[in-house]
Amino acid sequence: YTIKNLEIRNRFVRSATYDGIADKNGRVSKRQMSLYQELALGKVGLIVTGIAYVHVTGRISPSQNSIAYDDDIPGFSQLTRMVHDLGTKIAVQLFHAGRETGKIYQKRPALAPSLIADDPLFAAPHREMEENEIEQVIQAFGDAAGRAQAAGFDAVQIHGAHAYLLSQFLSP
């Protein structure tokens, strides 16, 4: 089966699913290596990883993968090599939580496209992004895609749903 120029061995795709088992620094853990090995041994054609934050301000969980730093590349390189050796393709899902970081993993003020006073659906603390911060996050997505390529991923998937940053920009 072919998606653009990416040839996969079948139509079985493991959709992006947050596993919550990265190490405390956001790096690929041994448990993740085992999980992806099982998927590849099961003959999945394409695996899409769970969310990997592209910028520290978009981290939503202490056990979430990071692709925000060059130091994240070696672990992902080991993961992609292992999956490729088993005949499976792999993509990474690039992510920024936006204001949702204020709900779960509040290490700093959560960033949002705008501040909505008295929002009936969202009460967690957040603030409006400044223009330079928007530019930094845009750059972070591009840099993360470059890291994904350096780590040997076959593709990237941009997370633009579930009330996270990109969908926040689309929502009135």
Side-chain angles (χ1 to χ4, degrees), residues 6-170:
L6 180 61
E7 189 173 320
I8 61 175
R9 64 177 160 195
N10 57 45
R11 293 177 185 236
F12 290 109
V13 175
R14 190 276 199 151
S15 184
T17 306
Y18 174 62
D19 56 45
I21 55 175
D23 78 11
K24 66 181 179 171
N25 296 311
R27 306 280 158 46
V28 175
S29 69
K30 290 179 183 179
R31 285 181 64 197
Q32 285 178 313
M33 291 294 290
S34 295
L35 170 66
Y36 290 104
Q37 181 179 36
E38 279 185 48
L39 291 166
L41 287 169
K43 307 281 189 224
V44 172
L46 173 64
I47 299 169
V48 184
T49 70
I51 52 178
Y53 66 91
V54 300
H55 191 273
V56 68
T57 59
R59 187 176 190 176
I60 198 167
S61 166
S63 54
Q64 175 189 8
N65 284 109
S66 168
I67 195 161
Y69 308 101
D70 289 346
D71 291 346
D72 299 324
I73 295 171
F76 279 129
S77 294
Q78 183 182 2
L79 177 69
T80 60
R81 273 192 309 275
M82 182 264 300
V83 167
H84 288 152
D85 288 348
L86 295 171
T88 296
K89 304 295 184 184
I90 186 166
V92 62
Q93 189 180 64
L94 306 182
F95 169 87
H96 190 293
R99 74 180 192 175
E100 293 293 312
T101 61
K103 273 186 179 175
I104 299 171
Y105 188 70
Q106 192 173 345
K107 293 288 186 181
R108 62 191 48 81
L111 301 181
S114 56
L115 179 62
I116 302 171
D118 302 319
D119 185 337
L121 302 174
F122 192 85
H126 61 285
R127 68 174 178 79
E128 183 174 305
M129 295 175 79
E130 296 178 12
E131 189 172 331
N132 70 317
E133 291 171 318
I134 294 170
E135 291 172 4
Q136 287 172 11
V137 170
I138 291 168
Q139 182 67 46
F141 271 93
D143 291 346
R147 288 184 194 99
Q149 185 176 34
F153 282 100
D154 299 294
V156 297
Q157 182 181 73
I158 307 293
H159 193 307
H162 308 126
Y164 297 125
L165 185 65
L166 299 182
S167 65
Q168 290 166 22
F169 271 100
L170 298 173

